[in-house]
Amino acid sequence: MVSHLYTDKYPTLTLMGSPGCGKGTQSKYMQERLGFLHISTGDLIRSAIEREEKEALEFKDLMKEGKLVPDAFIHRLLNKHLDKIRQKDAQPHGLILDGYPRNTQQAQQMKHLVDENNLSFLGMIYIYVPDDVVFERMLNRTDDNGNQRSDDQEQTIRERIRIFHEKTFPLIDFYRKEYQVAQIDGLGSPEDVFNRITPVVQEWHIPSTQKAESA
Ligand code: AMP
């Protein structure tokens, strides 16, 4: 378990990569093994749709088509979720944002989200998997109940990959200018990938003053 060296700020990092690169699985591992709390904007939307929230239902079709839902909606969902986390007794060691930010506007807005929620942003982990591999993975994946996601259909998968290249991939350069970015090879077993991510998280999680003291 990574030790929590911050008193009131949640160390926060974002996991990014094309759909099907393994962000969800790696976030789960990081939650279970490193004490980070996994926040997936895709899951937040799917839960809001399940609860039949009016605004979420309006964007159900967009999601089904593999398009991004509006930024303002994403920020309302995230802020509400972060409020809830603060009210809970069990405090996480940090937060992993999975699937956010997805475009430049969200990356700009994230700076406010970080300030307003008293987070400490560590950087971005980019999991790289070639398009043909993620395409096959998504076509063949099912959830724990053996169900396929409604947006894991061939045409939608192509659109999600296209949107990733057009809107999300350019964020790597955006982040490189101001934060730390680590590119991780996403091929191999989930364990292999986790073993590549862990040293990065451990390195980033320790504030530089602590590093200097322990050197
Ligand atoms: P995911 O579960 O991350 O693969 O996301 C599934 C779908 O939810 C995406 O294809 C988008 O339609 C929507 N979505 C998830 N996160 C975002 C986001 N940050 N901005 C806009 N749309 C999102």
PDB file of all heavy atoms in Angstrom, residues 50-70:
ATOM      1  N   GLU A  50     -28.856   4.222 -15.553  1.00  0.00           N
ATOM      2  CA  GLU A  50     -29.593   3.163 -14.849  1.00  0.00           C
ATOM      3  C   GLU A  50     -30.597   3.732 -13.863  1.00  0.00           C
ATOM      4  O   GLU A  50     -31.683   3.199 -13.685  1.00  0.00           O
ATOM      5  CB  GLU A  50     -28.603   2.276 -14.078  1.00  0.00           C
ATOM      6  CG  GLU A  50     -28.408   0.929 -14.736  1.00  0.00           C
ATOM      7  CD  GLU A  50     -27.274   0.164 -14.091  1.00  0.00           C
ATOM      8  OE1 GLU A  50     -27.240   0.088 -12.844  1.00  0.00           O
ATOM      9  OE2 GLU A  50     -26.412  -0.339 -14.841  1.00  0.00           O
ATOM     10  N   ARG A  51     -30.201   4.835 -13.209  1.00  0.00           N
ATOM     11  CA  ARG A  51     -31.122   5.483 -12.257  1.00  0.00           C
ATOM     12  C   ARG A  51     -32.189   6.292 -12.984  1.00  0.00           C
ATOM     13  O   ARG A  51     -33.010   6.937 -12.352  1.00  0.00           O
ATOM     14  CB  ARG A  51     -30.339   6.410 -11.309  1.00  0.00           C
ATOM     15  CG  ARG A  51     -29.449   5.690 -10.305  1.00  0.00           C
ATOM     16  CD  ARG A  51     -28.989   6.638  -9.205  1.00  0.00           C
ATOM     17  NE  ARG A  51     -28.238   7.769  -9.742  1.00  0.00           N
ATOM     18  CZ  ARG A  51     -26.913   7.773  -9.967  1.00  0.00           C
ATOM     19  NH1 ARG A  51     -26.199   6.714  -9.662  1.00  0.00           N
ATOM     20  NH2 ARG A  51     -26.309   8.822 -10.473  1.00  0.00           N
ATOM     21  N   GLU A  52     -32.101   6.285 -14.320  1.00  0.00           N
ATOM     22  CA  GLU A  52     -33.047   6.999 -15.190  1.00  0.00           C
ATOM     23  C   GLU A  52     -33.088   8.483 -14.905  1.00  0.00           C
ATOM     24  O   GLU A  52     -34.149   9.114 -14.907  1.00  0.00           O
ATOM     25  CB  GLU A  52     -34.442   6.367 -15.095  1.00  0.00           C
ATOM     26  CG  GLU A  52     -34.414   4.889 -15.433  1.00  0.00           C
ATOM     27  CD  GLU A  52     -35.758   4.316 -15.789  1.00  0.00           C
ATOM     28  OE1 GLU A  52     -36.766   4.848 -15.310  1.00  0.00           O
ATOM     29  OE2 GLU A  52     -35.787   3.321 -16.530  1.00  0.00           O
ATOM     30  N   GLU A  53     -31.899   9.056 -14.625  1.00  0.00           N
ATOM     31  CA  GLU A  53     -31.835  10.507 -14.434  1.00  0.00           C
ATOM     32  C   GLU A  53     -32.090  11.167 -15.785  1.00  0.00           C
ATOM     33  O   GLU A  53     -31.519  10.758 -16.799  1.00  0.00           O
ATOM     34  CB  GLU A  53     -30.460  10.903 -13.884  1.00  0.00           C
ATOM     35  CG  GLU A  53     -30.307  10.518 -12.431  1.00  0.00           C
ATOM     36  CD  GLU A  53     -28.949  10.890 -11.857  1.00  0.00           C
ATOM     37  OE1 GLU A  53     -28.219  11.689 -12.476  1.00  0.00           O
ATOM     38  OE2 GLU A  53     -28.627  10.370 -10.771  1.00  0.00           O
ATOM     39  N   LYS A  54     -32.937  12.209 -15.754  1.00  0.00           N
ATOM     40  CA  LYS A  54     -33.435  12.810 -17.001  1.00  0.00           C
ATOM     41  C   LYS A  54     -32.291  13.246 -17.929  1.00  0.00           C
ATOM     42  O   LYS A  54     -32.258  12.914 -19.105  1.00  0.00           O
ATOM     43  CB  LYS A  54     -34.309  14.011 -16.623  1.00  0.00           C
ATOM     44  CG  LYS A  54     -35.075  14.585 -17.771  1.00  0.00           C
ATOM     45  CD  LYS A  54     -36.147  15.544 -17.249  1.00  0.00           C
ATOM     46  CE  LYS A  54     -36.710  16.373 -18.386  1.00  0.00           C
ATOM     47  NZ  LYS A  54     -35.930  17.559 -18.681  1.00  0.00           N
ATOM     48  N   GLU A  55     -31.323  13.978 -17.348  1.00  0.00           N
ATOM     49  CA  GLU A  55     -30.241  14.511 -18.174  1.00  0.00           C
ATOM     50  C   GLU A  55     -29.422  13.377 -18.803  1.00  0.00           C
ATOM     51  O   GLU A  55     -29.060  13.430 -19.978  1.00  0.00           O
ATOM     52  CB  GLU A  55     -29.353  15.398 -17.302  1.00  0.00           C
ATOM     53  CG  GLU A  55     -28.495  16.336 -18.099  1.00  0.00           C
ATOM     54  CD  GLU A  55     -27.593  17.182 -17.213  1.00  0.00           C
ATOM     55  OE1 GLU A  55     -27.391  16.808 -16.031  1.00  0.00           O
ATOM     56  OE2 GLU A  55     -27.090  18.197 -17.713  1.00  0.00           O
ATOM     57  N   ALA A  56     -29.169  12.332 -18.008  1.00  0.00           N
ATOM     58  CA  ALA A  56     -28.360  11.207 -18.503  1.00  0.00           C
ATOM     59  C   ALA A  56     -29.087  10.501 -19.645  1.00  0.00           C
ATOM     60  O   ALA A  56     -28.470  10.102 -20.642  1.00  0.00           O
ATOM     61  CB  ALA A  56     -28.077  10.234 -17.363  1.00  0.00           C
ATOM     62  N   LEU A  57     -30.394  10.343 -19.521  1.00  0.00           N
ATOM     63  CA  LEU A  57     -31.162   9.655 -20.563  1.00  0.00           C
ATOM     64  C   LEU A  57     -31.077  10.413 -21.888  1.00  0.00           C
ATOM     65  O   LEU A  57     -31.058   9.803 -22.959  1.00  0.00           O
ATOM     66  CB  LEU A  57     -32.618   9.483 -20.127  1.00  0.00           C
ATOM     67  CG  LEU A  57     -32.825   8.483 -18.976  1.00  0.00           C
ATOM     68  CD1 LEU A  57     -34.281   8.455 -18.540  1.00  0.00           C
ATOM     69  CD2 LEU A  57     -32.372   7.071 -19.364  1.00  0.00           C
ATOM     70  N   GLU A  58     -30.973  11.742 -21.789  1.00  0.00           N
ATOM     71  CA  GLU A  58     -30.856  12.555 -23.014  1.00  0.00           C
ATOM     72  C   GLU A  58     -29.593  12.208 -23.794  1.00  0.00           C
ATOM     73  O   GLU A  58     -29.537  12.363 -25.007  1.00  0.00           O
ATOM     74  CB  GLU A  58     -30.771  14.045 -22.653  1.00  0.00           C
ATOM     75  CG  GLU A  58     -32.094  14.704 -22.387  1.00  0.00           C
ATOM     76  CD  GLU A  58     -31.891  16.131 -21.914  1.00  0.00           C
ATOM     77  OE1 GLU A  58     -30.926  16.793 -22.361  1.00  0.00           O
ATOM     78  OE2 GLU A  58     -32.680  16.556 -21.058  1.00  0.00           O
ATOM     79  N   PHE A  59     -28.550  11.749 -23.072  1.00  0.00           N
ATOM     80  CA  PHE A  59     -27.267  11.512 -23.737  1.00  0.00           C
ATOM     81  C   PHE A  59     -26.999  10.030 -24.017  1.00  0.00           C
ATOM     82  O   PHE A  59     -25.917   9.654 -24.464  1.00  0.00           O
ATOM     83  CB  PHE A  59     -26.127  12.109 -22.902  1.00  0.00           C
ATOM     84  CG  PHE A  59     -26.321  13.573 -22.637  1.00  0.00           C
ATOM     85  CD1 PHE A  59     -26.207  14.087 -21.358  1.00  0.00           C
ATOM     86  CD2 PHE A  59     -26.624  14.436 -23.683  1.00  0.00           C
ATOM     87  CE1 PHE A  59     -26.406  15.436 -21.112  1.00  0.00           C
ATOM     88  CE2 PHE A  59     -26.822  15.784 -23.453  1.00  0.00           C
ATOM     89  CZ  PHE A  59     -26.714  16.283 -22.172  1.00  0.00           C
ATOM     90  N   LYS A  60     -28.014   9.210 -23.726  1.00  0.00           N
ATOM     91  CA  LYS A  60     -27.849   7.762 -23.889  1.00  0.00           C
ATOM     92  C   LYS A  60     -27.478   7.414 -25.343  1.00  0.00           C
ATOM     93  O   LYS A  60     -26.602   6.588 -25.600  1.00  0.00           O
ATOM     94  CB  LYS A  60     -29.173   7.099 -23.511  1.00  0.00           C
ATOM     95  CG  LYS A  60     -29.086   5.644 -23.225  1.00  0.00           C
ATOM     96  CD  LYS A  60     -30.418   5.151 -22.720  1.00  0.00           C
ATOM     97  CE  LYS A  60     -30.453   3.642 -22.809  1.00  0.00           C
ATOM     98  NZ  LYS A  60     -31.704   3.092 -22.335  1.00  0.00           N
ATOM     99  N   ASP A  61     -28.158   8.071 -26.295  1.00  0.00           N
ATOM    100  CA  ASP A  61     -27.911   7.749 -27.703  1.00  0.00           C
ATOM    101  C   ASP A  61     -26.512   8.160 -28.139  1.00  0.00           C
ATOM    102  O   ASP A  61     -25.843   7.440 -28.880  1.00  0.00           O
ATOM    103  CB  ASP A  61     -28.957   8.420 -28.605  1.00  0.00           C
ATOM    104  CG  ASP A  61     -30.293   7.726 -28.477  1.00  0.00           C
ATOM    105  OD1 ASP A  61     -30.313   6.600 -27.940  1.00  0.00           O
ATOM    106  OD2 ASP A  61     -31.314   8.309 -28.888  1.00  0.00           O
ATOM    107  N   LEU A  62     -26.075   9.334 -27.644  1.00  0.00           N
ATOM    108  CA  LEU A  62     -24.716   9.798 -27.972  1.00  0.00           C
ATOM    109  C   LEU A  62     -23.704   8.740 -27.556  1.00  0.00           C
ATOM    110  O   LEU A  62     -22.779   8.397 -28.291  1.00  0.00           O
ATOM    111  CB  LEU A  62     -24.387  11.079 -27.209  1.00  0.00           C
ATOM    112  CG  LEU A  62     -24.765  12.428 -27.796  1.00  0.00           C
ATOM    113  CD1 LEU A  62     -24.243  13.536 -26.898  1.00  0.00           C
ATOM    114  CD2 LEU A  62     -24.168  12.575 -29.191  1.00  0.00           C
ATOM    115  N   MET A  63     -23.907   8.220 -26.353  1.00  0.00           N
ATOM    116  CA  MET A  63     -22.983   7.221 -25.808  1.00  0.00           C
ATOM    117  C   MET A  63     -23.024   5.951 -26.656  1.00  0.00           C
ATOM    118  O   MET A  63     -21.994   5.373 -26.975  1.00  0.00           O
ATOM    119  CB  MET A  63     -23.394   6.923 -24.376  1.00  0.00           C
ATOM    120  CG  MET A  63     -22.333   6.328 -23.529  1.00  0.00           C
ATOM    121  SD  MET A  63     -22.965   6.258 -21.856  1.00  0.00           S
ATOM    122  CE  MET A  63     -21.640   5.378 -21.069  1.00  0.00           C
ATOM    123  N   LYS A  64     -24.217   5.568 -27.033  1.00  0.00           N
ATOM    124  CA  LYS A  64     -24.402   4.359 -27.851  1.00  0.00           C
ATOM    125  C   LYS A  64     -23.700   4.485 -29.191  1.00  0.00           C
ATOM    126  O   LYS A  64     -23.235   3.503 -29.766  1.00  0.00           O
ATOM    127  CB  LYS A  64     -25.894   4.126 -28.074  1.00  0.00           C
ATOM    128  CG  LYS A  64     -26.327   2.748 -27.678  1.00  0.00           C
ATOM    129  CD  LYS A  64     -27.786   2.562 -27.975  1.00  0.00           C
ATOM    130  CE  LYS A  64     -28.298   1.283 -27.367  1.00  0.00           C
ATOM    131  NZ  LYS A  64     -29.743   1.296 -27.264  1.00  0.00           N
ATOM    132  N   GLU A  65     -23.638   5.743 -29.697  1.00  0.00           N
ATOM    133  CA  GLU A  65     -22.994   5.975 -30.999  1.00  0.00           C
ATOM    134  C   GLU A  65     -21.479   6.138 -30.861  1.00  0.00           C
ATOM    135  O   GLU A  65     -20.782   6.344 -31.840  1.00  0.00           O
ATOM    136  CB  GLU A  65     -23.564   7.247 -31.632  1.00  0.00           C
ATOM    137  CG  GLU A  65     -24.988   7.102 -32.115  1.00  0.00           C
ATOM    138  CD  GLU A  65     -25.659   8.464 -32.317  1.00  0.00           C
ATOM    139  OE1 GLU A  65     -24.939   9.484 -32.412  1.00  0.00           O
ATOM    140  OE2 GLU A  65     -26.890   8.495 -32.346  1.00  0.00           O
ATOM    141  N   GLY A  66     -20.992   6.116 -29.621  1.00  0.00           N
ATOM    142  CA  GLY A  66     -19.547   6.241 -29.405  1.00  0.00           C
ATOM    143  C   GLY A  66     -19.064   7.683 -29.363  1.00  0.00           C
ATOM    144  O   GLY A  66     -17.868   7.949 -29.373  1.00  0.00           O
ATOM    145  N   LYS A  67     -20.020   8.641 -29.311  1.00  0.00           N
ATOM    146  CA  LYS A  67     -19.631  10.062 -29.256  1.00  0.00           C
ATOM    147  C   LYS A  67     -19.396  10.484 -27.806  1.00  0.00           C
ATOM    148  O   LYS A  67     -19.880   9.828 -26.880  1.00  0.00           O
ATOM    149  CB  LYS A  67     -20.770  10.933 -29.811  1.00  0.00           C
ATOM    150  CG  LYS A  67     -21.287  10.495 -31.159  1.00  0.00           C
ATOM    151  CD  LYS A  67     -20.612  11.295 -32.244  1.00  0.00           C
ATOM    152  CE  LYS A  67     -21.293  11.172 -33.578  1.00  0.00           C
ATOM    153  NZ  LYS A  67     -20.725  10.121 -34.432  1.00  0.00           N
ATOM    154  N   LEU A  68     -18.706  11.615 -27.628  1.00  0.00           N
ATOM    155  CA  LEU A  68     -18.529  12.138 -26.274  1.00  0.00           C
ATOM    156  C   LEU A  68     -19.814  12.838 -25.841  1.00  0.00           C
ATOM    157  O   LEU A  68     -20.482  13.477 -26.655  1.00  0.00           O
ATOM    158  CB  LEU A  68     -17.369  13.143 -26.228  1.00  0.00           C
ATOM    159  CG  LEU A  68     -15.977  12.593 -26.563  1.00  0.00           C
ATOM    160  CD1 LEU A  68     -14.924  13.674 -26.352  1.00  0.00           C
ATOM    161  CD2 LEU A  68     -15.638  11.364 -25.723  1.00  0.00           C
ATOM    162  N   VAL A  69     -20.143  12.726 -24.557  1.00  0.00           N
ATOM    163  CA  VAL A  69     -21.305  13.455 -24.035  1.00  0.00           C
ATOM    164  C   VAL A  69     -20.820  14.861 -23.644  1.00  0.00           C
ATOM    165  O   VAL A  69     -19.611  15.077 -23.500  1.00  0.00           O
ATOM    166  CB  VAL A  69     -21.966  12.699 -22.850  1.00  0.00           C
ATOM    167  CG1 VAL A  69     -22.305  11.277 -23.240  1.00  0.00           C
ATOM    168  CG2 VAL A  69     -21.067  12.697 -21.627  1.00  0.00           C
ATOM    169  N   PRO A  70     -21.736  15.832 -23.462  1.00  0.00           N
ATOM    170  CA  PRO A  70     -21.297  17.213 -23.227  1.00  0.00           C
ATOM    171  C   PRO A  70     -20.425  17.390 -21.969  1.00  0.00           C
ATOM    172  O   PRO A  70     -20.663  16.768 -20.930  1.00  0.00           O
ATOM    173  CB  PRO A  70     -22.616  17.984 -23.070  1.00  0.00           C
ATOM    174  CG  PRO A  70     -23.610  17.161 -23.810  1.00  0.00           C
ATOM    175  CD  PRO A  70     -23.196  15.733 -23.615  1.00  0.00           C
TER     176      PRO A  70
END
